[in-house]
Amino acid sequence: MISSGRTSTSNSIVVVGSCMIDFISYAPRLPKSGETIKGSKCVTHFGGKGANQAVAAAKLGGNVTMVGRVGVDDWGTRYIEHLKHLNVNTDHVKITLDAQTGIAQIIVANSGENLIVITCGANDKLDEKDVVLADTVIKAADVLVLQLETPPEVAIKALELCKGISILNGAPAIANIDSKLLSMPTIFCVNELEAATFTGLPVKSESDARKAGVELLNKGCNNVIITLGRQGALLMSKTGKTIHVPSPVVAAVDTTGAGDAFIGALAYLLANRKEMSMEMCVGLACVAAADSVTRPGTQRSFPGIEVFGMS
Ligand code: ADP
């Protein structure tokens, strides 16, 4: 059973993080420096790790509040409407007057190679005051979800206020992370590449991931989850237990956002299925994430509660 020190029966989830608009251009190959080439299509999606994870939890039926920032532009207004439409509470999504909405420009070549430039814009302006303004919802949250696309000091402030379970998704990985961000969250969750960056160890196999997990626990993490793509996830805790949780075998179509589907589902399960062990929650988060990779897109590929075969 998962202990958060809370006795409340409420099931709220608060996500403090980024909102980005993804512009994805598909081209036969990546352009060379200074070169212009013709693409085959360009699509626009609502993205950003924070909002993706909020949407993943909300699509499962979670009671989710987003704390974040968008710019004073059409994209910002549209993003807030989009989140509202998906039942994410946006009372703490602030429109920032002196910044644009975060934008990710992505070029995907036929080979699958990509080039990405992220302009964080309003996301970089998210500050500790925004978190303090949301302190009532953060203190009441059963599960707090954080990532590293917004300033690290914002995550630390939110962790200071949190009384429930906290999940820090260490993405994107940063070389010199403040040790508080390892020791304060209940769960530190990363994929293999991120685990390698945080530990300086190569992570190319499950046994490498086990070593990286031990290193993260030695650095102060309480519980570590390393997601392993189609191989599921590794759950390791300070108490010495290491569990490899498999993912269902599926025909993957698009794995973009699989990690966000996993975190959102994990948050939903930890908040709402308190009778379940952490291992069971991780197993079902793998089920949700595996399901999401069978459809194209990110947020639109995230499943509803029917994915678990329970109501
Ligand atoms: P990220 O998207 O951050 O790189 P992963 O690739 O590790 O994260 O995927 C997160 C989770 O998504 C995995 O733990 C697994 O449950 C699921 N998943 C990803 N790819 C596949 C796949 N090809 N088949 C089944 N499940 C997958």
Side-chain angles (χ1 to χ4, degrees), residues 4 151 163 165 191 224 229:
S4 70
K163 296 185 187 337
I165 294 171
N191 67 18
V224 172

Side-chain angles (χ1 to χ4, degrees), residues 191-192 194 227-230 232-233 247-250 252 255-260 262 285-287 289-290 293:
N191 67 18
E192 292 163 290
E194 292 147 4
T227 60
L228 307 168
R230 77 184 62 187
S247 201
V249 177
V250 295
T255 59
T256 322
D260 294 334
F262 178 92
C286 282
V287 169
V293 308

